[in-house]
Amino acid sequence: MEFNWESFLDPYIQTVGELKIKLRGIRKQYHKANRHSPIEFVTGRVKPVESIKEKMALRHISYEQLAQDMQDIAGVRIMVQFVDDIEEVLAILRKRKDMQILHERDYINNMKSSGYRSYHVVISYPVDTINGNETVLAEIQIRTLSMNFWATIEHSLNYKYKGKFPEEIKKRLEITAKIAYQLDEEMRQIRDDIQEAQVLFNPPNRKVNDGVGNSDDTDEEYR
Ligand code: 0O2
Ligand code: 0O2
């Protein structure tokens, strides 16, 4: 009998939809609270049937094992501004009651040989459908804008070369990965310097309504 892809993928489509809404909701809450959001933007996709079939053949995964053995049929990506934001996103995910973290793969501290960097979290996620409750696996990838820039372009080039880059191109991609890493480092540095400057210019005892036409208070402020 033909495998019913539509009914198999329905819970995954629902999972990606729910996760995108929930994660974008976190960003909205930070903005409302006027705080820096560790989440910049969120994208998601259900793996196309053709890609699932290719990966099944490559990994010798049977239809019976598909739901357990392929962890990224539902995939959500969280982009962050700074490398430290990744830890903050992880802390948020670890506290959540609506998903359970099964594995974490840290390709930030353990960069792949390609130069790929990203933090992967595999979760189990329960979805309610009209046929009852079903738990599916989903992969959440967390990365900076710079890592995303690199991975997006490398992925599209990879498609062309089917994973077998000529040696020279491979080397050049490794160099661009280094540049992407340096960009993250430099941005962190700039942010830290700006925060330091803000602290210097906004001493905690400074009055909100300072200055003009209030000569009585002026001396106080500089003491
Ligand atoms: P906004 O803030 O109005 O742009 P959907 O489920 O239809 O909302 P879908 O189909 O997953 O979204 O779209 P896609 O293309 O995956 O993009 C998801 C969100 O990420 C969209 O925002 C894009 O604008 C945003 N996005 C994609 N690439 C970038 C990028 O490089 N930088 C920034 N800042 N945002 C990006 P929304 O949800 O439509 O909202
Ligand atoms: P898609 O949907 O095209 O992105 P494997 O699948 O063998 O790489 P594993 O253990 O199943 O390994 O999962 P892993 O490594 O945690 O995550 C695989 C996914 O990470 C890939 O999905 C990519 O999205 C991303 N990824 C891993 N390595 C690289 C890399 O070198 N370059 C880029 N651009 N992305 C990478 P897929 O399967 O490619 O699917």
Side-chain angles (χ1 to χ4, degrees), residues 45 47 55 59 72 77 105 107 112 114 116 120 139 141 150-151 154-155:
R45 61 101 185 92
K47 211 175 185 67
K55 201 165 175 175
R59 299 279 177 84
D72 65 343
R77 208 166 263 166
R105 285 195 272 270
Y107 301 126
K112 283 201 164 188
S114 59
Y116 177 76
H120 294 189
E139 183 179 73
Q141 301 181 340
W150 185 90
E154 194 262 1
H155 192 275

